[in-house]
Amino acid sequence: MQSQTIAVVTGGSAGIGRAVLERFVRAGARGVNLARRPSGLPGVVDLAVDLADPAWENDLPPRLLPLLGGTGPLCLVHNAATLREDTATNLDAASLRAVLELNVVAPAALNRLLDARLVPGSSIIYIGSTLSEIGVPGRASYVTSKHAIVGLMRATCQDLVGRGVTTVAVCPGFTDTEMLRAHLAHDAARLDAARQRSTFGRLIDPDEIADVVAFCARTPVLDGAVLHANLGQKSS
Ligand SMILES: NC(=O)c1ccc[n+]([C@@H]2O[C@H](COP(=O)([O-])OP(=O)(O)OC[C@H]3O[C@@H](n4cnc5c(N)ncnc54)[C@H](OP(=O)(O)O)[C@@H]3O)[C@@H](O)[C@H]2O)c1
């Protein structure tokens, strides 16, 4: 039986998720991308799935589970997320449900689906955000979902006691991806302002977050930790 690590990454088609997949495959793991678009990475199996549509729970298992044979550790990375502009008092219920579906419910459902495959040495890494522990105006559903991810990680840590599975919430700061650029409306001045929010005066490269994720996945002493990776984000 194969003892190779398998990395299953949601949203591995772009940004941080793609960098994470690339990092694992370079280290000799098998990679599976769960996203609507392919990753285009050699050595990665792309399974097209819309994790915001609960129908995936019926459609995905027959395509995913046969890929997970072998006895090697599984690294499950909950990365896919959506960011909308809304406030705590104008939040539309349907919109909040849609954000929670992708950002929180899909990770929980994937945990349930893959529970039996979490052999000792496996890991579940949640991609949080600086906004997992603080609020900002105008991002109510995102802030809520990113706080919830930390709750789910902490519950994972307590519920998997004795299983030899490491779980960590990795919380990036301003990282140079489609999500950040779209969020800042591709506006040069706003991008520059984001750069100046770090003590290094630049954006984080997705590969830097991928390195942190890979480190967490093989470091059991971090089990239950919330790890900020934000290039020294300034508080004001
Ligand atoms: N960039 C930042 O500054 C920053 C800061 C803090 C936290 N984060 C977190 O980092 C994670 C990755 O963000 P990113 O910046 O790398 O974003 P990104 O470049 O926009 O990538 C988002 C990924 O999520 C996938 N995705 C979105 N909707 C999906 C859906 N309905 N079903 C399946 N996959 C879906 C996308 O794939 P498809 O479009 O192909 O489906 C894409 O691969 C997120 O959890 C985000 O909250 C990012």
Side-chain angles (χ1 to χ4, degrees):
M1 291 289 270
Q2 260 182 320
S3 59
Q4 202 177 11
T5 296
I6 303 183
V8 175
V9 180
T10 66
S13 61
I16 291 169
R18 189 174 187 280
V20 168
L21 266 177
E22 197 168 26
R23 178 75 180 65
F24 272 95
V25 170
R26 208 183 331 127
R30 290 186 282 153
V32 180
N33 164 38
L34 305 181
R36 294 165 299 183
R37 293 168 294 166
S39 66
L41 292 170
V44 168
V45 178
D46 293 300
L47 296 182
V49 57
D50 181 351
L51 293 168
D53 177 356
W56 73 261
E57 282 202 71
N58 295 321
D59 165 67
L60 185 67
R63 295 187 288 141
L64 176 60
L65 297 178
L67 299 175
L68 305 184
T71 56
L74 173 72
C75 177
L76 174 58
V77 183
H78 297 302
N79 165 77
T82 185
L83 168 59
R84 296 185 182 183
E85 297 194 7
D86 43 35
T87 75
T89 50
N90 77 7
L91 201 45
D92 171 71
S95 178
L96 176 60
R97 283 191 192 100
V99 170
L100 294 178
E101 189 67 44
L102 177 63
N103 295 13
V104 183
V105 177
L110 276 169
N111 287 347
R112 190 176 66 241
L113 177 66
L114 299 183
D115 183 29
R117 185 58 186 75
L118 291 166
V119 298
S122 295
S123 51
I124 302 179
I125 308 299
Y126 294 87
I127 304 300
S129 164
T130 309
L131 302 185
S132 287
E133 295 198 306
I134 59 166
V136 290
R139 309 286 177 271
S141 59
Y142 185 78
V143 167
T144 301
S145 73
K146 288 299 177 181
H147 276 63
I149 275 298
V150 169
L152 190 56
M153 183 281 294
R154 289 185 169 134
T156 304
C157 175
Q158 299 305 316
D159 286 331
L160 298 190
V161 167
R163 294 271 304 270
V165 174
T166 301
T167 187
V168 179
V170 173
C171 298
F174 294 109
T175 307
D176 194 356
T177 67
E178 285 173 21
M179 179 185 280
L180 181 71
R181 286 179 179 270
H183 174 58
L184 299 177
H186 301 276
D187 181 287
R190 292 178 72 190
L191 268 167
D192 198 50
R195 282 188 196 97
Q196 297 317 318
R197 293 292 305 282
S198 111
T199 51
F200 283 70
R202 65 170 176 84
L203 299 178
I204 299 163
D205 189 286
D207 285 338
E208 296 179 277
I209 303 299
D211 284 343
V212 175
V213 170
F215 176 72
C216 289
R218 63 170 189 273
T219 309
V221 74
L222 288 174
D223 192 26
V226 178
L227 201 60
H228 286 275
N230 60 27
L231 209 56
Q233 192 165 310
K234 296 179 199 164
S235 45
S236 59

